[in-house]
Amino acid sequence: MRLPSKLARNATSGLATVFFALHSAQVAAKKDDPFALPGKDFRVSDLPSPSKSDQPAQIPQSEPADAYVFFADVALNGVALRGIAKIKSVDDELAIESTYAFAKGLIATFPEKDFIPISSIEGVTYDFNWQTYQLNITKDLQSSGANLIDMQQRSRSPVPEANHIPALIVDYDLSVQADRSGLRVNGLIAPRFARGNTVVEASFRASSTRRRVGGKTTRLDSFISHRIPESSTSVTIGDFVSQGPTGSRAVRMGGLRVGTDFSLRPDLITQPLPDFTGTVAVPTGIDVLVNDRRVTSNKVERGEFTVQSIPVPAGRSEVGVVVRDALGRETLLTVPFYSARRILAPGLFEGAINIGAVRRRYGIRSSDYGPSAITAMARKGISSTLTLTSFAEASNGVFNGGIGADVIVANAALFSLTARASHNNDGPIGLRSGHLISAGIESTGAVFSSSLEARKVSRGYTDVATANGDIAPPSLIAANINFDLADVGRLQVSAVQQSRPSRPWLDRSSEKLRLFSASYRKQLWRGAAISLDISRRGNNGRKDFSALAGLSVTLGSRSFAQASYSRTQDRNFFQASFARPAIEQGETGYSASLGLGAIDRIAAAISRQLSFGRLELQAEQANGSSAARFNARGSLLATGGSIFATRSGSGTYVLVDSGKIGGIAVERENRPSGLTNRGGKLLLDRVPAYSPIKIGLDPAKLPTSVIAKSVEAFVAAAPRSVAKVDLQIQRYLPLKFQLTDMRGNMFKPGTRLTALPSRKNYIVGHGSMVEINGSEGDIELKIVNSSGSVCQADIADITAKSSPGPAQLKCFMQSKSFAIRP
């Protein structure tokens, strides 16, 4: 029996031995285990320094020799970043690999060193979890990420390419009129061949009666045009109207025109829009207001935020941002902004050049071309408030050129200035020079708007239009004031004085015109409004005064009536009318009007909007004379292997093809548009050019005998052309049978087979069951077995058992190929 003291001593010794052994094991493990996790009191300076034997042969001089590299996951503002970052200790601080920091946007410029201390990055705070090796970085967003809000939400890329197909399109407007002078037939016909952005077009006017000048048929325009959406450029060869800046006088020409056309890029923002920049110290909610109306709400992170491309109406606006802090307190920041379409966005360019011969007596003569001419213009957005313009033209001894500027003043008004000079040497009269100076200012607002324009034209001023028979532009002073007082009404007052100096070489005396007018509009109740107009006109000593009072009433969704009384000098006139127009396909419209006074007139019309065109019948009697007129208007198209008759509209179409399956209900922007014809086609008219529209199907309305791979598609058609949308629809007639080989053995599930001649692939199911599409017109099956043998079967041999069960089909021929090696 052991003594108690000895037992206690032995127990104490054993426990001590175990304790020291365990402690030694932990120390050894922590020393030898490179993946041991540090404790909570770990410091960066506690990281081990590699011995000289562990150092690489060459150490970059930009890094300390005792750098210890490890890897970590990184989260930026609470969002995990992709990839693992290299981290090391540099001067008792954590540093992150420079390439990673640059790629993730933590730094804007790439440093020379391979690692950059995280604390040296501006606007960045961080913490590192040594248990999970997680680096959490908080960075002030400088108008990036969630702190950059673009309110336009439009792609800055050209309109996607559509499947345009060749099309021959003929627009027509024909009328037959009968009156006391007899029966007359008139018509306007405009054929064109179009494919995508290229159009070859001509237009003609015809009449059954011969006019004094010209024949029964007159050519109006004929040209080839090509549009380049990527560069917003349009090229026209043939007849055109010259393209120039606002205020210049256009002329009809025959030749070449190359110019900017911003309508080719609906995604392009052509005018400056307001931007708003601010700074918040904590994550914050913001509301954007335009004229006290909220247009969007967003959340931004700590740092600088920017709201750009804020949509505003034309004229004066007040843009505001409501900033809410974490306690719900709101701060309102506002800035004024003036929007004008004549101002180009900074850096945006608009230009045009027109070369050819001036066309005269348009609509009377088919080919009356005068002297050659060239005109050109260029406009450039210098800043968000300044756009500069230059313009020049020359023709037959006439040269005209000038510059202009549009400036937004104090975010409250648009000021425009134009200066032009001309020289004209037209032979016998000699050299004449002149100038035109124009200045104007306008300010548009929700309640008050005004404009003032002054233009001075010297006696000898000449432009290309004047040199070819047009009247010279007059000198003028024009003022306009508009009050929109909501419930009180809208009042507009205008005054104009214009004068033309005498031109003895043209036998024209001086002219002076003064005009004063005022109008008032007020909404009485919903659908009813009154209007009052007065005007006083003075022309070379002659004065005229007129007044008009009118009432208009909206009746239902598309009917309206109006009545008015007017007095001019000593003549009175009363007029009343009612109209219900036909707008959509299948609608019938009608109208009637009555006029009493200087001219007694009564008229009525009925119209019908059909799928192939618009028909209208009119009849009237004026001062005892009667007349009747029948009108037909529409378009004929030959495209996609079919001929269509449709209403005339924008001239842009979409052809929907359902793969020769008729009766398919097609939707346009989720609204029913019609059924495909027996050839599986449906033509959609009045399509907006370059604007993507959605063409879709309602799966619930599809016949049970068809299947669709997709139920919607988007298309953006070029103007005055036809784009095709192929609906991936096919007829499906299920044909089920059990397939066996020549010996009656079943095929293994998953065995592949091919139907001929369609070459559609199918798979054998359980129990050797097969289902194929019987509407494909296949006559034969080719089966490749797992053993490599090929089996063929005639679909016509499918027989049904007299007893219940699936139809049967057996292979009628089986073969196998062997390769013999020498």
Side-chain angles (χ1 to χ4, degrees):
M1 183 174 181
R2 296 183 178 179
L3 294 175
S5 60
K6 188 176 182 179
L7 291 175
R9 186 172 60 252
N10 293 335
T12 303
S13 176
L15 290 175
T17 302
V18 172
F19 172 78
F20 285 111
L22 291 176
H23 180 70
S24 300
Q26 291 178 358
V27 173
K30 188 172 293 187
K31 179 179 180 180
D32 299 333
D33 185 4
F35 301 102
L37 297 176
K40 295 182 179 180
D41 56 349
F42 182 83
R43 296 175 302 173
V44 175
S45 58
D46 295 334
L47 289 171
S49 299
S51 63
K52 293 183 179 181
S53 59
D54 296 332
Q55 294 180 7
Q58 294 181 353
I59 299 177
Q61 296 299 321
S62 59
E63 301 178 4
D66 61 347
Y68 178 79
V69 178
F70 55 96
F71 298 90
D73 294 321
V74 182
L76 177 61
N77 292 334
V79 178
L81 300 182
R82 298 183 62 180
I84 299 177
K86 287 184 178 181
I87 308 294
K88 68 161 49 177
S89 169
V90 177
D91 297 332
D92 203 19
E93 290 187 7
L94 287 185
I96 190 169
E97 189 179 21
S98 300
T99 55
Y100 185 91
F102 182 77
K104 302 303 181 182
L106 297 177
I107 53 178
T109 58
F110 195 82
E112 296 180 359
K113 296 183 178 182
D114 294 338
F115 285 80
I116 178 173
I118 304 176
S119 59
S120 67
I121 302 176
E122 184 179 358
V124 165
T125 59
Y126 74 95
D127 65 83
F128 190 83
N129 190 329
W130 292 100
Q131 301 293 330
T132 61
Y133 275 59
Q134 175 75 35
L135 177 62
N136 298 308
I137 298 178
T138 302
K139 183 179 187 297
D140 295 345
L141 296 179
Q142 301 298 316
S143 297
S144 62
N147 284 20
L148 178 61
I149 304 169
D150 186 357
M151 295 192 60
Q152 285 302 305
Q153 299 294 327
R154 289 193 283 184
S155 173
R156 300 294 194 265
S157 59
V159 176
E161 192 82 17
N163 180 23
H164 291 102
I165 58 177
L168 177 61
I169 307 171
V170 180
D171 299 326
Y172 63 88
D173 189 346
L174 308 176
S175 64
V176 179
Q177 180 173 327
D179 53 25
R180 62 182 181 181
S181 63
L183 187 69
R184 296 194 302 273
V185 179
N186 300 299
L188 178 66
I189 301 176
R192 70 179 183 272
F193 176 82
R195 181 168 187 176
N197 289 306
T198 303
V199 177
V200 181
E201 185 171 352
S203 57
F204 305 88
R205 187 176 70 177
S207 177
S208 61
T209 59
R210 184 179 182 86
R211 299 187 303 274
R212 293 181 180 179
V213 180
K216 294 184 178 181
T217 302
T218 304
R219 182 185 66 87
L220 300 179
D221 294 296
S222 55
F223 58 88
I224 301 174
S225 68
H226 179 70
R227 295 172 289 268
I228 310 173
E230 293 79 6
S231 58
S232 302
T233 304
S234 177
V235 180
T236 301
I237 301 176
D239 298 311
F240 57 85
V241 177
S242 63
Q243 182 177 349
T246 303
S248 65
R249 302 205 300 172
V251 293
R252 289 189 175 274
M253 301 175 64
L256 171 66
R257 180 185 68 188
V258 180
T260 303
D261 186 357
F262 290 131
S263 67
L264 305 181
R265 290 285 304 275
D267 62 297
L268 186 64
I269 302 175
T270 61
Q271 66 186 78
L273 293 178
D275 298 340
F276 195 98
T277 301
T279 304
V280 293
V282 294
T284 301
I286 64 171
D287 293 335
V288 180
L289 309 177
V290 175
N291 297 330
D292 296 329
R293 184 175 65 89
R294 185 175 66 181
V295 294
T296 187
S297 295
N298 293 87
K299 291 184 179 181
V300 296
E301 300 294 331
R302 188 184 73 180
E304 182 185 80
F305 69 90
T306 295
V307 185
Q308 65 183 22
S309 302
I310 302 174
V312 293
R316 301 186 306 272
S317 296
E318 187 175 66
V319 179
V321 173
V322 178
V323 180
R324 296 185 301 273
D325 60 18
L327 299 179
R329 294 173 298 190
E330 295 184 348
T331 303
L332 175 62
L333 308 174
T334 61
V335 294
F337 188 83
Y338 193 87
S339 174
R341 296 186 181 275
R342 292 174 62 177
I343 299 293
L344 294 178
L348 193 62
F349 175 82
E350 179 184 12
I353 184 169
N354 313 275
I355 304 174
V358 177
R359 188 171 183 182
R360 301 173 297 193
R361 290 187 286 185
Y362 176 80
I364 299 176
R365 293 286 190 182
S366 296
S367 300
D368 186 2
Y369 294 95
S372 59
I374 178 172
T375 69
M377 74 103 174
R379 302 182 70 234
K380 180 70 175 292
I382 305 302
S383 67
S384 60
T385 59
L386 174 62
T387 297
L388 297 181
T389 303
S390 61
F391 176 77
E393 58 181 9
S395 173
N396 196 27
V398 175
F399 175 79
N400 185 301
I403 58 174
D406 296 298
V407 186
I408 293 179
V409 181
N411 281 319
L414 173 66
F415 177 75
S416 301
L417 178 65
T418 301
R420 295 180 184 171
S422 69
H423 294 277
N424 184 10
N425 186 6
D426 55 4
I429 300 177
L431 178 64
R432 298 192 310 275
S433 299
H435 63 269
L436 179 151
I437 299 177
S438 175
I441 187 169
E442 65 177 31
S443 181
T444 304
V447 177
F448 173 75
S449 303
S450 62
S451 65
L452 177 64
E453 180 184 4
R455 182 172 65 202
K456 176 63 176 177
V457 182
S458 67
R459 185 187 302 272
Y461 179 79
T462 306
D463 56 11
V464 171
T466 305
N468 286 275
D470 289 352
I471 300 176
S475 299
L476 63 81
I477 298 177
N480 180 76
I481 299 176
N482 192 315
F483 295 92
D484 191 348
L485 305 178
D487 296 337
V488 177
R490 181 175 179 178
L491 176 65
Q492 182 176 355
V493 180
S494 302
V496 178
Q497 175 180 297
Q498 66 179 33
S499 59
R500 287 188 175 91
S502 61
R503 299 198 172 203
W505 59 87
L506 297 177
D507 293 330
R508 290 177 181 171
S509 59
S510 62
E511 298 179 2
K512 181 171 288 188
L513 171 67
R514 289 188 176 94
L515 176 65
F516 173 83
S517 64
S519 63
Y520 174 76
R521 305 284 186 273
K522 178 175 173 55
Q523 195 82 15
L524 297 180
W525 62 84
R526 186 175 182 180
I530 62 169
S531 59
L532 302 174
D533 295 89
I534 59 172
S535 64
R536 185 179 184 276
R537 178 188 178 98
N539 188 2
N540 289 345
R542 179 182 176 181
K543 297 180 180 180
D544 296 327
F545 177 82
S546 63
L548 181 145
L551 171 68
S552 61
V553 181
T554 301
L555 306 172
S557 59
R558 59 186 183 93
S559 300
F560 62 91
Q562 66 92 21
S564 64
Y565 168 78
S566 63
R567 180 179 177 83
T568 303
Q569 296 300 96
D570 297 330
R571 293 177 295 180
N572 300 321
F573 186 73
F574 172 80
Q575 187 265 344
S577 64
F578 171 82
R580 181 182 176 86
I583 301 175
E584 299 296 335
Q585 179 178 329
E587 293 181 347
T588 300
Y590 43 86
S591 64
S593 62
L594 172 67
L596 301 174
I599 299 177
D600 295 333
R601 177 180 179 273
I602 183 172
I606 183 171
S607 62
R608 178 73 174 175
Q609 197 75 262
L610 301 172
S611 60
F612 58 84
R614 183 179 186 273
L615 305 179
E616 184 176 14
L617 179 63
Q618 301 172 336
E620 67 174 348
Q621 185 181 55
N623 287 345
S625 299
S626 301
R629 182 184 302 108
F630 174 76
N631 177 261
R633 184 184 308 163
S635 301
L636 299 175
L637 292 88
T639 183
S642 302
I643 298 178
F644 303 90
T646 182
R647 305 170 294 173
S648 60
S650 65
T652 304
Y653 305 90
V654 171
L655 179 64
V656 182
D657 190 346
S658 62
K660 299 182 179 180
I661 302 177
I664 300 297
V666 178
E667 294 182 344
R668 171 179 170 179
E669 299 296 344
N670 299 323
R671 298 184 59 185
S673 293
L675 304 176
T676 57
N677 58 21
R678 287 184 294 180
K681 294 180 174 62
L682 174 66
L683 186 71
L684 304 180
D685 61 358
R686 301 186 180 183
V687 175
Y690 291 127
S691 296
I693 64 171
K694 177 183 176 182
I695 307 298
L697 305 171
D698 186 352
K701 296 181 180 179
L702 285 176
T704 56
S705 60
V706 302
I707 56 175
K709 296 182 180 179
S710 177
V711 295
E712 66 178 29
F714 291 88
V715 60
R720 304 177 62 77
S721 64
V722 179
K724 185 180 179 182
V725 174
D726 290 314
L727 298 178
Q728 298 183 6
I729 298 176
Q730 66 179 34
R731 196 173 298 280
Y732 191 82
L733 179 62
L735 185 59
K736 297 181 180 180
F737 53 89
Q738 188 178 52
L739 181 65
T740 58
D741 62 12
M742 297 180 63
R743 298 183 179 86
N745 299 321
M746 296 184 180
F747 289 93
K748 293 181 179 180
T751 303
R752 296 180 57 188
L753 57 93
T754 303
L756 301 175
S758 70
R759 305 191 67 83
K760 292 292 183 65
N761 295 321
Y762 300 94
I763 297 178
V764 177
H766 291 285
S768 199
M769 293 298 299
V770 177
E771 179 179 327
I772 67 173
N773 185 2
S775 64
E776 295 287 348
D778 295 315
I779 60 175
E780 187 180 359
L781 295 179
K782 181 179 179 182
I783 307 100
V784 179
N785 206 350
S786 58
S787 62
S789 61
V790 178
C791 178
Q792 291 178 289
D794 192 344
I795 296 179
D797 291 341
I798 296 178
T799 57
K801 292 183 178 180
S802 57
S803 59
Q808 302 290 324
L809 180 63
K810 287 186 177 182
C811 294
F812 66 86
M813 184 178 67
Q814 188 167 353
S815 62
K816 188 172 183 179
S817 300
F818 297 93
I820 302 176
R821 295 182 179 179

